[in-house]
Amino acid sequence: MTKYRIIHKSTGIEAPDGEFLIGRAEDCHLVLEDPSVSRIHAAIIFDGGQLRIEDRKSRNGVKVNSKLVQHRLILRDGDQIKIGHQTIRIKSMDKARDADHTVGNVRCLKCAAMVPPGEDLCSRCGAMIDETSVHPVVTEHGGASSPERPTSLSMTATSGIHSRPIGMMAGLAVKAARVGKLDEAEKLMDNTMRIVASHARSDSGASSSEIQVLCDALIELAQLSKNPDYVSQIFAVHLHTSRLVDRALVEKLYDLVRVVGYRACRLLMRYLEQLALQQNQLSPGERFIVRRLEGLAKLCS
């Protein structure tokens, strides 16, 4: 059965079974911050291997390949959807996998799917494609593809992830978890964490608002899945960004660790070691936060 990716800007997600809502409302799967977009503007529906789109009585309508959608319309590989001022592309995931014998393709080392040049996410498992996660594919003539092509792809992937919106990726992970798609949520959040780590390595840095949105998402994911690993990722975020945990977040963590059965992890202890080196530079209020974190570590040990 053919699978499809829904691609907006630099972010792509596999079309889930059932409805995929698009609009300005926070409970949409894809939230478009565009005043010309209705709260619930359209729905992409994947059912029985067929992908369709329908207008949900929007103000400005939906266009596919410049033609106005009247009711429901079947979507195909390469279709371009116009909603407000936003463009969404549809891509067949089978085509990427079928391109096995094309020079320059690479294979994802996580799931072995074929990834065509220029892609920075594996369409099958969602893994980030970089120089550590790919290897060249054999050409149709039996020889190995030149090493320059995978290297070029790696450079494209590494630069591309800086433009990915952290808040959007985290929001999609939460929405997937809310409808019970915990595996999909985990893949999306893993990719989001790679983006945060890449920002830290490039010194571009994530903004305070992005960090807050990301940590709120991690808390909700931990609550929904009862997975303590999401608590560990909160400390990973603050390690990557060298930020002090917000006081309100610390208090939320005190409540959360009991619910998910969190035990103090290596990341928390490394984070406390990092903070200990900065003690002389911290204000009294910041030192209080450090003491609360130390108390959290004892509570979870």
Side-chain angles (χ1 to χ4, degrees):
M1 182 173 65
T2 302
K3 291 283 189 178
Y4 296 91
R5 286 180 75 195
I6 301 168
I7 302 170
H8 176 242
K9 296 183 178 177
S10 59
T11 300
I13 183 171
E14 180 180 340
D17 292 333
E19 289 189 342
F20 182 90
L21 298 177
I22 304 171
R24 285 189 298 108
E26 286 297 321
D27 54 351
C28 287
H29 297 88
L30 176 57
V31 179
L32 301 177
E33 296 180 357
D34 183 332
S36 62
V37 174
S38 299
R39 282 182 52 76
I40 300 179
H41 197 108
I44 293 177
I45 302 158
F46 188 57
D47 183 22
Q50 191 175 71
L51 196 69
R52 295 167 292 162
I53 188 168
E54 65 177 29
D55 189 338
R56 289 295 172 87
K57 300 180 180 178
S58 65
R59 293 191 312 273
N60 299 313
V62 177
K63 289 183 178 181
V64 175
N65 301 329
S66 301
K67 294 183 179 179
L68 193 65
V69 174
Q70 298 296 336
H71 300 290
R72 284 189 177 185
L73 182 70
I74 294 175
L75 295 171
R76 296 179 173 83
D77 177 61
D79 281 348
Q80 298 223 12
I81 303 165
K82 193 75 172 180
I83 293 179
H85 301 296
Q86 311 297 314
T87 300
I88 298 164
R89 293 185 294 116
I90 300 299
K91 184 170 184 179
S92 168
M93 294 168 64
D94 286 351
K95 284 201 170 182
R97 289 195 290 267
D98 290 344
D100 197 335
H101 299 296
T102 303
V103 175
N105 280 359
V106 292
R107 190 186 303 279
C108 173
L109 294 186
K110 186 173 182 181
C111 72
M114 302 311 305
V115 183
E119 295 291 338
D120 56 356
L121 280 181
C122 174
S123 59
R124 179 185 291 174
C125 71
M128 187 70 69
I129 302 301
D130 58 27
E131 63 271 17
T132 64
S133 63
V134 300
H135 61 70
V137 174
V138 174
T139 70
E140 58 185 348
H141 301 296
S145 58
S146 65
E148 288 80 8
R149 294 299 291 272
T151 303
S152 175
L153 173 63
S154 301
M155 292 172 63
T156 302
T158 304
S159 61
I161 59 178
H162 297 303
S163 63
R164 291 182 176 276
I166 291 171
M168 179 181 176
M169 294 283 282
L172 286 172
V174 169
K175 286 168 186 174
R178 285 174 181 170
V179 296
K181 298 187 176 182
L182 298 179
D183 288 344
E184 184 176 315
E186 184 176 350
K187 290 175 185 175
L188 284 164
M189 188 52 71
D190 283 347
N191 286 328
T192 307
M193 293 298 294
R194 290 188 183 99
I195 296 166
V196 173
S198 178
H199 275 311
R201 287 195 299 270
S202 67
D203 294 326
S204 59
S207 68
S208 296
S209 60
E210 285 178 319
I211 296 300
Q212 182 176 344
V213 168
L214 177 56
C215 289
D216 287 344
L218 287 167
I219 285 176
E220 185 166 353
L221 286 169
Q223 292 169 334
L224 290 169
S225 66
K226 301 297 186 288
N227 185 350
D229 289 344
Y230 288 119
V231 179
S232 299
Q233 288 182 351
I234 290 174
F235 298 117
V237 168
H238 288 83
L239 265 171
H240 284 315
T241 58
S242 299
R243 292 174 182 266
L244 182 63
V245 174
D246 179 80
R247 182 168 178 173
L249 178 57
V250 175
E251 302 311 318
K252 289 179 183 178
L253 288 171
Y254 265 85
D255 294 331
L256 182 63
V257 294
R258 296 182 177 92
V259 175
V260 301
Y262 173 77
R263 291 291 176 264
C265 67
R266 175 178 53 85
L267 288 168
L268 172 55
M269 304 316 294
R270 280 181 55 198
Y271 182 54
L272 286 172
E273 290 171 4
Q274 183 187 81
L275 293 175
L277 297 175
Q278 304 171 10
Q279 277 283 4
N280 294 335
Q281 303 168 8
L282 300 179
S283 69
E286 291 170 335
R287 289 173 188 166
F288 175 79
I289 292 174
V290 174
R291 289 197 298 272
R292 290 292 284 162
L293 286 170
E294 291 169 343
L296 184 68
K298 291 178 181 177
L299 177 66
C300 300
S301 60

XYZ file of all heavy atoms in Angstrom, residues 166 170 189-190 192-197 199-200 205-219 229-246 249 267-268 271 274:
386
model
N 11.431 24.256 15.784
C 11.429 23.350 16.926
C 10.025 23.237 17.525
O 9.549 22.148 17.831
C 12.439 23.842 17.985
C 13.865 23.680 17.443
C 12.288 23.075 19.296
C 14.924 24.323 18.301
N 7.757 19.785 17.931
C 7.322 19.346 19.257
C 5.800 19.277 19.329
O 5.232 18.354 19.921
C 7.864 20.303 20.322
N 9.822 13.507 18.319
C 10.577 14.161 19.383
C 12.056 13.843 19.288
O 12.913 14.696 19.583
C 10.023 13.757 20.754
C 10.636 14.549 21.908
S 10.567 16.363 21.683
C 8.812 16.677 21.882
N 12.401 12.625 18.851
C 13.821 12.298 18.645
C 14.441 13.244 17.617
O 15.558 13.744 17.805
C 13.970 10.856 18.165
C 13.802 9.842 19.291
O 13.815 10.257 20.461
O 13.661 8.651 18.986
N 13.348 16.239 16.879
C 13.381 17.573 17.475
C 14.616 17.732 18.357
O 15.282 18.778 18.330
C 12.111 17.823 18.308
O 10.964 17.562 17.505
C 12.053 19.257 18.804
N 14.931 16.696 19.134
C 16.106 16.762 20.003
C 17.394 16.844 19.191
O 18.344 17.517 19.579
C 16.131 15.537 20.925
C 15.004 15.508 21.948
S 15.051 16.909 23.089
C 16.576 16.576 23.957
N 17.417 16.186 18.023
C 18.596 16.292 17.153
C 18.761 17.721 16.648
O 19.872 18.222 16.489
C 18.476 15.315 15.980
C 18.602 13.852 16.370
C 18.667 12.976 15.127
N 18.724 11.570 15.478
C 17.679 10.763 15.475
N 16.490 11.217 15.139
N 17.805 9.499 15.810
N 17.638 18.368 16.369
C 17.686 19.754 15.913
C 18.269 20.648 16.999
O 19.124 21.497 16.748
C 16.282 20.243 15.517
C 15.755 19.442 14.334
C 16.302 21.729 15.170
C 14.274 19.622 14.093
N 17.796 20.460 18.242
C 18.293 21.256 19.369
C 19.796 21.051 19.540
O 20.550 22.012 19.709
C 17.546 20.875 20.664
C 18.174 21.568 21.878
C 16.072 21.251 20.567
N 20.224 19.788 19.461
C 21.655 19.501 19.601
C 22.462 20.133 18.477
O 23.551 20.664 18.695
C 21.878 17.992 19.632
N 21.631 22.852 16.750
C 21.674 24.291 17.013
C 22.800 24.614 17.994
O 23.530 25.583 17.818
C 20.345 24.752 17.611
C 19.296 25.060 16.591
N 19.521 25.866 15.503
C 17.987 24.692 16.517
C 18.418 25.970 14.790
N 17.474 25.264 15.382
N 22.908 23.776 19.036
C 23.927 24.034 20.060
C 25.326 23.922 19.469
O 26.209 24.718 19.787
C 23.746 23.049 21.213
N 21.786 28.497 18.434
C 20.983 28.563 19.641
C 19.496 28.568 19.403
O 19.007 29.117 18.440
N 18.768 27.907 20.301
C 17.312 27.946 20.291
C 16.864 29.090 21.184
O 17.512 29.409 22.186
C 16.741 26.619 20.781
N 15.761 29.729 20.828
C 15.266 30.856 21.617
C 14.628 30.377 22.910
O 14.287 29.197 23.057
C 14.236 31.644 20.799
O 13.067 30.870 20.604
N 14.448 31.302 23.851
C 13.815 30.965 25.128
C 12.397 30.442 24.919
O 11.961 29.503 25.593
C 13.785 32.194 26.037
O 15.095 32.603 26.357
N 11.673 31.057 23.982
C 10.295 30.616 23.730
C 10.280 29.206 23.144
O 9.404 28.399 23.481
C 9.593 31.587 22.778
O 10.270 31.669 21.534
N 11.255 28.881 22.275
C 11.336 27.528 21.715
C 11.627 26.508 22.809
O 11.033 25.422 22.831
C 12.418 27.472 20.641
C 12.032 28.124 19.332
C 13.155 28.080 18.315
O 14.327 28.297 18.706
O 12.863 27.840 17.140
N 12.530 26.850 23.723
C 12.856 25.943 24.814
C 11.634 25.713 25.697
O 11.353 24.582 26.127
C 14.025 26.499 25.660
C 15.300 26.583 24.809
C 14.256 25.636 26.893
C 15.772 25.271 24.250
N 10.884 26.771 25.967
C 9.688 26.631 26.806
C 8.651 25.730 26.133
O 8.086 24.835 26.784
C 9.072 27.998 27.088
C 7.843 27.926 28.000
C 7.308 29.300 28.347
O 7.985 30.305 28.163
N 6.088 29.341 28.855
N 8.403 25.961 24.842
C 7.444 25.133 24.103
C 7.904 23.678 24.090
O 7.109 22.752 24.292
C 7.270 25.656 22.663
C 6.503 24.654 21.801
C 6.545 26.994 22.666
N 9.193 23.467 23.859
C 9.740 22.117 23.805
C 9.593 21.402 25.147
O 9.165 20.234 25.201
C 11.207 22.174 23.384
C 11.969 20.855 23.339
C 11.285 19.856 22.434
C 13.407 21.084 22.884
N 9.917 22.082 26.240
C 9.823 21.452 27.561
C 8.369 21.184 27.949
O 8.066 20.147 28.561
C 10.516 22.320 28.609
S 12.318 22.320 28.440
N 7.463 22.087 27.600
C 6.037 21.836 27.847
C 5.582 20.592 27.087
O 4.800 19.782 27.610
C 5.199 23.046 27.419
C 5.328 24.226 28.369
O 5.817 24.022 29.505
O 4.959 25.349 27.984
N 6.080 20.445 25.851
C 5.729 19.276 25.050
C 6.280 18.001 25.687
O 5.594 16.970 25.747
C 6.259 19.433 23.632
N 7.518 18.048 26.185
C 8.122 16.878 26.810
C 7.359 16.475 28.076
O 7.181 15.276 28.338
C 9.592 17.164 27.146
C 10.546 17.201 25.946
C 11.885 17.799 26.339
C 10.736 15.804 25.363
N 6.899 17.451 28.830
C 6.115 17.143 30.028
C 4.813 16.453 29.651
O 4.422 15.435 30.247
C 5.850 18.427 30.841
C 7.121 18.838 31.583
C 4.710 18.215 31.832
C 7.007 20.133 32.340
N 11.703 8.612 29.992
C 12.769 9.106 29.116
C 12.533 10.555 28.711
O 13.489 11.298 28.444
C 12.875 8.242 27.859
C 13.453 6.870 28.154
O 14.042 6.698 29.239
O 13.318 5.968 27.307
N 11.260 10.970 28.638
C 10.969 12.350 28.261
C 11.438 13.327 29.343
O 11.798 14.462 29.037
C 9.475 12.529 27.988
C 9.018 11.878 26.710
C 8.057 10.875 26.715
C 9.547 12.259 25.480
C 7.636 10.268 25.537
C 9.141 11.656 24.307
C 8.183 10.655 24.333
O 7.784 10.069 23.171
N 11.448 12.882 30.600
C 11.986 13.724 31.674
C 13.492 13.895 31.463
O 14.030 15.001 31.592
C 11.690 13.109 33.053
C 12.287 13.977 34.165
C 10.184 12.953 33.264
N 14.158 12.811 31.115
C 15.600 12.891 30.847
C 15.895 13.867 29.718
O 16.894 14.594 29.753
C 16.141 11.499 30.482
O 15.953 10.585 31.538
N 15.013 13.902 28.715
C 15.238 14.795 27.577
C 15.142 16.261 27.982
O 15.766 17.120 27.358
C 14.243 14.467 26.462
C 14.561 13.153 25.769
C 13.607 12.831 24.638
O 12.598 13.501 24.445
N 13.918 11.798 23.878
N 14.364 16.560 29.020
C 14.306 17.942 29.511
C 15.685 18.379 30.000
O 16.138 19.494 29.715
C 13.253 18.071 30.629
C 11.840 17.911 30.044
C 13.385 19.412 31.361
C 10.735 17.876 31.066
N 16.368 17.490 30.704
C 17.717 17.831 31.177
C 18.705 17.860 30.012
O 19.646 18.651 30.019
C 18.152 16.843 32.263
C 17.274 16.878 33.477
C 16.539 15.765 33.860
C 17.145 18.044 34.218
C 15.708 15.814 34.963
C 16.311 18.103 35.325
C 15.589 16.982 35.697
N 18.471 17.012 28.998
C 19.332 17.050 27.810
C 19.218 18.394 27.104
O 20.221 18.959 26.655
C 18.939 15.917 26.849
N 18.000 18.925 27.010
C 17.778 20.233 26.386
C 18.593 21.309 27.106
O 19.270 22.129 26.476
C 16.277 20.605 26.410
C 16.082 22.072 26.034
C 15.489 19.720 25.464
N 18.541 21.296 28.423
C 19.225 22.337 29.187
C 20.747 22.131 29.199
O 21.507 23.101 29.300
C 18.652 22.401 30.600
C 17.270 22.995 30.639
N 16.136 22.257 30.373
C 16.852 24.264 30.863
C 15.071 23.038 30.451
N 15.481 24.258 30.748
N 21.186 20.885 29.063
C 22.614 20.639 28.900
C 23.101 21.175 27.557
O 24.139 21.845 27.481
C 22.892 19.133 28.984
C 23.313 18.568 30.340
C 23.316 17.045 30.289
C 24.677 19.087 30.760
N 22.342 20.881 26.489
C 22.733 21.331 25.150
C 22.777 22.858 25.071
O 23.633 23.426 24.392
C 21.741 20.806 24.109
C 21.899 19.353 23.787
N 23.116 18.763 23.567
C 20.971 18.365 23.647
C 22.942 17.483 23.306
N 21.656 17.207 23.337
N 21.835 23.514 25.744
C 21.706 24.964 25.604
C 22.375 25.744 26.731
O 22.401 26.976 26.701
C 20.216 25.352 25.554
O 19.556 24.903 26.743
C 19.531 24.714 24.352
N 22.918 25.011 27.730
C 23.577 25.644 28.888
C 22.658 26.668 29.556
O 23.080 27.770 29.930
C 24.895 26.316 28.461
O 25.785 25.365 27.930
N 21.399 26.279 29.725
C 20.422 27.156 30.378
C 20.058 26.603 31.745
O 20.110 25.395 31.967
C 19.140 27.262 29.536
C 19.296 27.996 28.216
C 18.017 27.908 27.410
N 18.150 28.552 26.114
C 17.805 29.810 25.867
N 17.288 30.543 26.846
N 17.959 30.333 24.675
N 19.654 27.521 32.630
C 19.140 27.110 33.928
C 17.662 26.792 33.792
O 16.914 27.536 33.154
C 19.342 28.224 34.958
C 18.898 27.906 36.395
C 19.713 26.750 36.971
C 19.029 29.142 37.281
N 17.243 25.672 34.369
C 15.837 25.277 34.314
C 14.977 26.365 34.951
O 15.318 26.916 36.002
C 15.627 23.936 35.049
C 14.137 23.582 35.122
C 16.390 22.831 34.344
N 13.875 26.679 34.309
C 12.938 27.656 34.848
C 12.347 27.143 36.166
O 12.084 25.949 36.328
C 11.821 27.882 33.817
C 10.790 28.866 34.309
O 11.047 30.078 34.221
O 9.742 28.415 34.789
N 9.206 25.223 35.924
C 9.424 23.899 35.352
C 9.912 22.924 36.420
O 9.513 21.746 36.430
C 10.429 23.993 34.200
C 10.813 22.686 33.502
C 9.583 21.978 32.946
C 11.822 22.947 32.385
N 21.998 12.156 32.721
C 21.872 13.518 32.200
C 21.603 14.519 33.322
O 22.144 15.628 33.324
C 20.758 13.575 31.155
C 21.083 12.902 29.822
C 19.828 12.757 28.978
C 22.134 13.708 29.065
N 20.756 14.144 34.284
C 20.483 15.035 35.412
C 21.753 15.260 36.222
O 22.062 16.391 36.608
C 19.371 14.459 36.291
C 19.118 15.189 37.622
C 18.850 16.675 37.416
C 17.965 14.529 38.376
N 24.053 17.492 34.392
C 23.536 18.862 34.421
C 23.866 19.525 35.759
O 24.282 20.697 35.794
C 22.030 18.841 34.175
C 21.383 20.210 34.141
C 21.857 21.211 33.297
C 20.296 20.497 34.963
C 21.269 22.458 33.263
C 19.691 21.752 34.919
C 20.182 22.718 34.080
O 19.592 23.962 34.052
N 27.403 20.532 35.757
C 27.586 21.746 34.970
C 27.213 22.977 35.788
O 27.924 23.991 35.768
C 26.738 21.663 33.697
C 26.902 22.855 32.754
C 25.918 22.794 31.593
O 24.763 23.169 31.726
N 26.386 22.302 30.437
